[in-house]
Amino acid sequence: MAARKKATKKKAAKRTPARKATAKKTAKKPAARKTAAKKPAARGKKKAAVAGMIISKSRTKAAVENCNVSSEFYEALDNFVREAIAGAERRAAGNKRKTLRSQDL
């Protein structure tokens, strides 16, 4: 009788990894993702003025070769670009155009 118990233990040991493998396969189901509902687009409204910077700090810093760039420089450069764009808008409006061109700078 003792021989039968040993044989069944060996068979049970062989079966156990097979059961675990099937359990792993069923456990790898992807979780369902929740998606946010899209907001309806506002029609007839203009975009609000962006309070952020127009220029890219990383690109400005990359363009400078031999100097460091202070935070004050970014602000001054951003103001300079905004003034240049405003002047170009005035010139294009004076010429009865709605498109800014390079000649407006």
Side-chain angles (χ1 to χ4, degrees):
M1 190 136 188
R4 287 187 183 178
K5 288 183 181 179
K6 288 182 182 178
T8 55
K9 286 182 181 179
K10 287 181 182 179
K11 287 181 182 178
K14 288 181 182 178
R15 288 184 205 156
T16 310
R19 288 180 188 165
K20 287 182 182 178
T22 56
K24 287 181 182 178
K25 288 180 184 177
T26 57
K28 291 185 179 181
K29 290 182 181 177
R33 290 187 174 186
K34 295 181 181 179
T35 56
K38 292 184 179 180
K39 295 180 182 179
R43 294 183 184 178
K45 292 184 180 180
K46 293 184 178 181
K47 292 182 180 178
V50 179
M53 308 252 320
I54 292 176
I55 61 163
S56 169
K57 289 183 178 182
S58 60
R59 289 185 181 191
T60 302
K61 190 171 183 176
V64 177
E65 296 176 5
N66 297 323
C67 294
N68 294 327
V69 182
S70 72
S71 60
E72 295 170 356
F73 179 80
Y74 295 124
E75 293 173 12
L77 180 62
D78 189 64
N79 290 334
F80 180 80
V81 170
R82 287 180 191 273
E83 290 172 8
I85 291 172
E89 283 181 322
R90 286 191 296 272
R91 188 173 189 278
N95 291 330
K96 298 178 183 176
R97 286 185 284 112
K98 291 185 177 181
T99 304
L100 295 180
R101 294 178 157 180
S102 61
Q103 63 203 27
D104 295 328
L105 292 173

